[in-house]
Amino acid sequence: MTSEIIGTYAVAIALLIGSIFALVGAIGLLRFNDSMTRLHAPTKVGTVGIGSLLLASMIHAHTFDDGSMHEVLIMAFLFVTAPISAHFIAKVNIHKSACETPPSPTRDATWSTLDVPEADRDIKVSNPG
C-alpha cells in the first residue's frame, strides 16, 4: 500500500518534469530564429523530457504491474541516437553555409595539444590539499 502511494507520487513527478521539458522545447523550437539555435531545444526534450516520461512509465509498470524493460531499451536507443542526429543536422547546416561558420583556430604550436607556451612554463600551480 505504501509503495503504491510512493510510486504514484514518483510517477506524477516524473510526468511533470517530462511535460515541462516538452513544453519548454516546443516553445524554444518556435521562438528561436535560425536552425542552429532551434536545434538545441528539441535535443534537450529528446533526452531529458522523453527520458523522464519513460522513467515514469517504468516506475508505473514496476509499481502496479509485473514491470517491463522495454523502456530501458527505448531510453538506450534514444540517448545514443539523439546526439548523433543533432550532430549530423548541425554539420549539414555548416556545410550548406546556412549559418555562421565558427572562427578558425589560432595557428600556433599549442593549439589542440598539451604543449605549454614558453611564457607559461614558469607559472607555479599549487596543489589543493
Side-chain angles (χ1 to χ4, degrees):
M1 184 69 170
T2 305
S3 64
E4 289 180 1
I5 294 172
I6 294 171
T8 302
Y9 283 119
V11 167
I13 290 170
L15 286 174
L16 185 65
I17 291 170
S19 60
I20 288 171
F21 268 93
L23 179 66
V24 168
I27 292 170
L29 186 63
L30 294 174
R31 185 171 170 109
F32 290 141
N33 296 331
D34 63 343
S35 58
M36 290 296 276
T37 54
R38 282 184 181 170
L39 183 63
H40 181 71
T43 55
K44 297 303 169 215
V45 170
T47 54
V48 179
I50 302 299
S52 180
L53 295 175
L54 288 170
L55 180 66
S57 176
M58 286 174 56
I59 294 170
H60 184 270
H62 285 286
T63 303
F64 297 105
D65 204 9
D66 292 337
S68 172
M69 295 304 284
H70 294 115
E71 290 89 352
V72 174
L73 294 173
I74 295 170
M75 272 192 204
F77 179 75
L78 188 71
F79 289 159
V80 168
T81 59
I84 294 170
S85 62
H87 178 73
F88 283 138
I89 292 170
K91 283 186 71 126
V92 166
N93 282 317
I94 290 172
H95 287 298
K96 286 179 61 179
S97 298
C99 63
E100 292 182 27
T101 56
S104 298
T106 58
R107 300 287 180 199
D108 60 0
T110 62
W111 184 83
S112 186
T113 65
L114 295 177
D115 291 337
V116 178
E118 192 68 36
D120 293 337
R121 290 186 183 179
D122 294 333
I123 298 174
K124 300 268 191 248
V125 178
S126 63
N127 290 333

